[in-house]
Amino acid sequence: MTTAPSFATVSQLAPGEPQLVVEKITLSFGGVTALAGVSLDVRQGEIRAVIGPNGAGKTSLLNSISGLYRPQQGRILFHNDQEYNLLERRPDQIARLGVARSFQNIELFRHMTVLDNLMLGRHIHMKSNVLDCGLYWGRAQKEEVRHRQVVEEIIDFLEIEAIRKKPVGTLSYGLQKRVELGRALALEPAILLLDEPMAGMNVEEKEDMARFILDINEERGVTIVLIEHDMGVVMDISDRIAVLDFGRKIGDGTPDEVRANPEVIKAYLGEDHG
Amino acid sequence: MESGIYHTTYEADMALRRTPIQKVRLAAVIAFLLIFPFFANSYYLTLANQIGIAVVGALGLNILVGYTGQISLGQGGFLAVGAYTAGLLATRLGVPFWLTIPIACVVTAAVGGVFGVPSLRLKGLYLAIATLAAQEIIQWLIVHWDAVTGGVEALVVPHATLFGFNLNAGNSDFHWYWIILAAAAFTTIFTVNLFRSRVGRAFVAIRDQDIAAEVMGVNLFTYKVLAFAVSSFFVGLAGALTAHYRLIVTWERFTIETSITYLAMIIIGGLGSVSGSIYGAIFITLLPALLNSLGRSLSGVVPGIAGLIPMIQQGVFGLVIILFLVLEPEGLAKLWRDVKDYFRLWPFSY
Ligand SMILES: Nc1ncnc2c1ncn2[C@@H]1O[C@H](COP(=O)(O)OP(=O)(O)OP(=O)(O)O)[C@@H](O)[C@H]1O
Ligand SMILES: [Mg+2]
């Protein structure tokens, strides 16, 4: 019997220590400035929401953290066993540091099954090379079985047992969102970046998703960065909220502080009501 | 999915052939392949050998195009690298045949890997053009580097011997049948295994969503180049087998037309499918043979048809590819799955 490693976090930090520090990043596309000198810190173990109107730069911020966009100015530091400058790293290297994410417009591997999507999440934890895989002797097979056990734990946790052999392209929107969360979890992240995980869901699906996010955060100690438009959910589950508008940060604090911030109210309700 | 069947361990659940029906079917195919050469005449043996080599080449191409989503028009060039490497090693340096084959595979893998480097930046049509350049560069080198390759002159390869046994003497098609069958079986098993484990999964992930694959920790550069190399390894194997089996290597067999023929195999058979590669290789290899014998039997009724056969062949070829692209993009493999599904539920088709 091999004991199954559980998908616990790999972070070496104590709760509350700064884990991700975004320092004055500026990102522009030609004439469009998506982020203008945005600074933000994320502490180990918290649920950190990022909100803002459409086009505020929320997705651009996540893309900069995961290495898909390259801000022209600023720094993004990630702390674990040591300090890493994320701007010097490729997306796959950033993933290896324990940074996982989901996408606003689901980016699953459509033709692969739920199982295979989650197994791909184990990629960085596996070692088999092309020869091991092609010959499927000893090492590769043992490794597949061992990581299948981890993936099955996640499948149980997300309650998607019934669909594990289905190609994800055939699943409903809500289930695809859940599978995408599973794939990110399979990476055993220290920090999880979620880009509108509840968008387009019905109330029941949203409740499930909120419960999963809370469980991942509380029971596994995974730090969460959450972009979400549903204010009810955001105010409910996040520890701190940053507010972006036109690429600038216009507010930051606890839900109560943000709710009372006049600039935030103005950005959300429009000039007329300000 | 076969319903009503449960597996108690992950090992059993992850096994390849899981149901009794699948096992019986596989056993029947193996039995046929083992008995066939003892009853087939040399015409059918030649066809079988051509199919076997095409299976190896088509699987190689499908690893790259169907599974990893990197379009390649360089197949002909990579086949040439395999064939010329094996042929030249045997002719010029007297390397024994069994050693030329693995060397040819590794050399072709390296060449394929190098021509795979642009795939990091180029996609779709642009990558197609880059691989077309690979095809043309390789062809140009073969024709113009005649001090080494013999240029446009055919390279005549010495007979292959294995443990002192001359494979190309006597019933040579029968001897080669076993070598080619072994190569095709190895390639098939390797490919099946590759795509049920880590590296193959990364290839498919790159095809489906390369950005997500990268964000999940797959190094796109390494894995794209690796896909080119693994694919070319098997394409090189097909090329090397051609050289030793036919005993003659000429550049004309490895033009862009060959690349397109192989693309037709995997499109008709099924992109990203092992069985599809095999069906496609069978279909495309048999098509000219079928059309030929059809033409011969019609030549009494329709005089002059024999001269038109090559043209009809091209036409049918094009038509079949278009029909598959339009009607059944997932190829013969999907068609066969549909038939099986139909009968699994039969007579209750709900
Ligand atoms: N790849 C890109 N190329 C050009 N402009 C971009 C790109 N990505 C984002 N932008 C621009 O940057 C700005 C911020 O976009 P971003 O997607 O980050 O907003 P968002 O806050 O995520 O919005 P939403 O709530 O609609 O998802 C927009 O003006 C957008 O058009
Ligand atoms: Mg967005």
Side-chain angles (χ1 to χ4, degrees):
Chain A
M1 272 292 288
T2 45
T3 49
S6 77
F7 54 103
T9 117
V10 294
S11 185
Q12 316 263 327
L13 304 175
E17 283 189 75
Q19 183 177 27
L20 182 71
V21 181
V22 176
E23 281 180 6
K24 293 195 187 137
I25 58 169
T26 295
L27 171 73
S28 32
F29 301 99
V32 182
T33 303
L35 296 169
V38 171
S39 297
L40 189 83
D41 68 314
V42 182
R43 296 175 195 150
Q44 166 67 42
E46 74 175 337
I47 297 184
R48 180 77 152 115
V50 178
I51 63 171
N54 292 109
K58 306 181 295 294
T59 299
S60 300
L61 175 67
L62 283 208
N63 285 351
S64 303
I65 296 170
S66 47
L68 294 174
Y69 289 172
R70 286 266 168 259
Q72 287 85 6
Q73 284 168 39
R75 295 201 301 170
I76 301 179
L77 303 174
F78 177 70
H79 299 267
N80 199 349
D81 51 332
Q82 62 175 80
E83 183 182 275
Y84 300 92
N85 184 354
L86 297 190
L87 291 191
E88 291 168 354
R89 289 182 160 72
R90 291 190 313 264
D92 59 292
Q93 295 172 320
I94 292 172
R96 281 180 185 274
L97 296 178
V99 181
R101 68 171 290 179
S102 70
F103 293 85
Q104 184 169 352
N105 310 304
I106 306 168
E107 309 284 7
L108 285 166
F109 310 118
R110 292 182 53 79
H111 299 94
M112 289 167 43
T113 61
V114 170
L115 258 175
D116 276 333
N117 267 274
L118 268 59
M119 283 297 281
L120 190 107
R122 302 298 301 164
H123 183 84
I124 62 167
H125 298 288
M126 299 171 79
K127 292 193 176 59
S128 300
N129 61 29
V130 65
L131 256 185
D132 299 326
C133 290
L135 302 175
Y136 208 67
W137 277 337
R139 169 156 141 173
Q141 187 180 8
K142 278 207 200 88
E143 195 177 59
E144 288 292 321
V145 172
R146 197 167 68 241
H147 289 271
R148 170 76 183 268
Q149 286 171 337
V150 182
V151 161
E152 288 290 341
E153 268 186 61
I154 297 171
I155 287 176
D156 286 348
F157 169 69
L158 294 175
E159 297 155 18
I160 48 177
E161 295 90 342
I163 54 161
R164 56 154 83 76
K165 298 255 166 104
K166 293 242 166 77
V168 293
T170 64
L171 300 175
S172 73
Y173 184 82
L175 279 177
Q176 291 197 20
K177 284 259 172 198
R178 205 182 282 195
V179 174
E180 212 189 9
L181 176 65
R183 184 181 65 182
L185 275 184
L187 195 134
E188 280 178 48
I191 186 166
L192 186 56
L193 317 172
L194 302 174
D195 198 347
E196 305 200 17
M198 295 167 210
M201 287 186 164
N202 62 35
V203 176
E204 198 185 329
E205 289 172 326
K206 274 188 189 177
E207 277 171 7
D208 283 339
M209 186 55 82
R211 181 164 51 84
F212 292 136
I213 293 172
L214 282 171
D215 279 354
I216 293 164
N217 177 251
E218 282 166 14
E219 287 170 26
R220 328 236 166 212
V222 180
T223 312
I224 310 264
V225 176
L226 172 71
I227 295 177
E228 185 50 55
H229 279 297
D230 186 320
M231 280 312 129
V233 176
V234 169
M235 296 293 167
D236 245 19
I237 71 174
S238 28
D239 296 304
R240 290 190 303 150
I241 304 173
V243 191
L244 295 184
D245 189 23
F246 289 114
R248 288 180 315 115
K249 191 170 86 171
I250 59 168
D252 199 343
T254 63
D256 288 331
E257 286 164 3
V258 164
R259 233 191 307 251
N261 182 325
E263 240 193 301
V264 175
I265 296 170
K266 197 166 112 190
Y268 264 83
L269 301 177
E271 308 276 354
D272 302 353
H273 306 267
Chain B
M1 254 162 284
E2 322 255 344
S3 67
I5 294 166
Y6 293 95
H7 303 278
T8 42
T9 65
Y10 296 138
E11 283 91 337
D13 191 43
M14 289 155 84
L16 285 177
R17 307 277 155 182
R18 301 184 298 159
T19 65
I21 309 167
Q22 286 173 325
K23 284 179 184 149
V24 169
R25 206 158 50 211
L26 181 65
V29 170
I30 292 175
F32 171 79
L33 289 174
L34 295 180
I35 297 167
F36 169 81
F38 294 99
F39 295 92
N41 62 27
S42 90
Y43 174 71
Y44 286 107
L45 277 174
T46 309
L47 276 181
N49 289 342
Q50 285 173 359
I51 289 173
I53 292 174
V55 164
V56 175
L59 279 166
L61 184 64
N62 222 339
I63 290 174
L64 184 62
V65 178
Y67 282 104
T68 318
Q70 309 298 303
I71 180 93
S72 168
L73 290 172
Q75 177 83 356
F78 298 140
L79 281 166
V81 173
Y84 273 93
T85 307
L88 289 170
L89 284 172
T91 320
R92 303 261 202 272
L93 302 177
V95 177
F97 124 87
W98 57 267
L99 195 56
T100 66
I101 289 189
I103 297 176
C105 292
V106 170
V107 168
T108 316
V111 172
V114 169
F115 281 111
V117 169
S119 69
L120 187 67
R121 288 291 155 86
L122 304 177
K123 280 186 183 175
L125 196 57
Y126 298 99
L127 182 59
I129 291 169
T131 55
L132 179 62
Q135 167 75 37
E136 296 303 321
I137 290 169
I138 292 169
Q139 202 173 307
W140 189 89
L141 274 177
I142 289 169
V143 173
H144 290 87
W145 196 15
D146 41 4
V148 173
T149 63
V152 290
E153 299 279 313
L155 180 72
V156 179
V157 181
H159 285 196
T161 53
L162 195 60
F163 308 119
F165 182 80
N166 186 336
L167 290 168
N168 295 86
N171 194 354
S172 111
D173 280 309
F174 181 80
H175 305 151
W176 275 97
Y177 178 88
W178 300 107
I179 306 271
I180 293 170
L181 180 64
F186 172 74
T187 310
T188 305
I189 293 168
F190 191 98
T191 310
V192 167
N193 284 336
L194 188 64
F195 290 102
R196 61 169 168 157
S197 47
R198 177 177 184 261
V199 174
R201 215 161 27 230
F203 287 173
V204 179
I206 289 174
R207 176 197 71 192
D208 273 9
Q209 226 326 309
D210 54 350
I211 291 176
E214 195 179 19
V215 164
M216 296 307 297
V218 176
N219 183 333
L220 290 188
F221 182 74
T222 308
Y223 276 82
K224 281 182 175 179
V225 170
L226 189 60
F228 269 89
V230 176
S231 161
S232 303
F233 183 94
F234 291 112
V235 177
L237 175 58
L241 288 172
T242 315
H244 287 294
Y245 170 54
R246 293 188 174 270
L247 296 177
I248 191 155
V249 184
T250 61
W251 67 275
E252 287 126 320
R253 298 193 61 84
F254 305 111
T255 59
I256 177 75
E257 217 179 303
T258 309
S259 301
I260 290 170
T261 305
Y262 270 92
L263 278 173
M265 286 182 203
I266 62 171
I267 290 169
I268 289 172
L271 290 170
S273 157
V274 168
S275 51
S277 315
I278 298 171
Y279 302 148
I282 295 173
F283 185 83
I284 295 289
T285 314
L286 291 185
L287 189 64
L290 283 176
L291 287 175
N292 257 331
S293 49
L294 192 70
R296 243 178 288 125
S297 52
L298 282 181
S299 62
V301 194
V302 192
I305 195 162
L308 293 175
I309 289 289
M311 264 191 281
I312 295 176
Q313 206 166 299
Q314 296 287 328
V316 170
F317 215 68
L319 195 67
V320 168
I321 295 177
I322 290 169
L323 281 179
F324 267 96
L325 281 176
V326 174
L327 298 177
E328 195 62 278
E330 289 178 56
L332 288 168
K334 168 84 178 349
L335 220 59
W336 169 237
R337 265 203 310 279
D338 289 349
V339 171
K340 277 196 302 189
D341 285 344
Y342 178 78
F343 282 107
R344 179 163 312 118
L345 298 172
W346 190 84
F348 311 106
S349 48
Y350 49 78

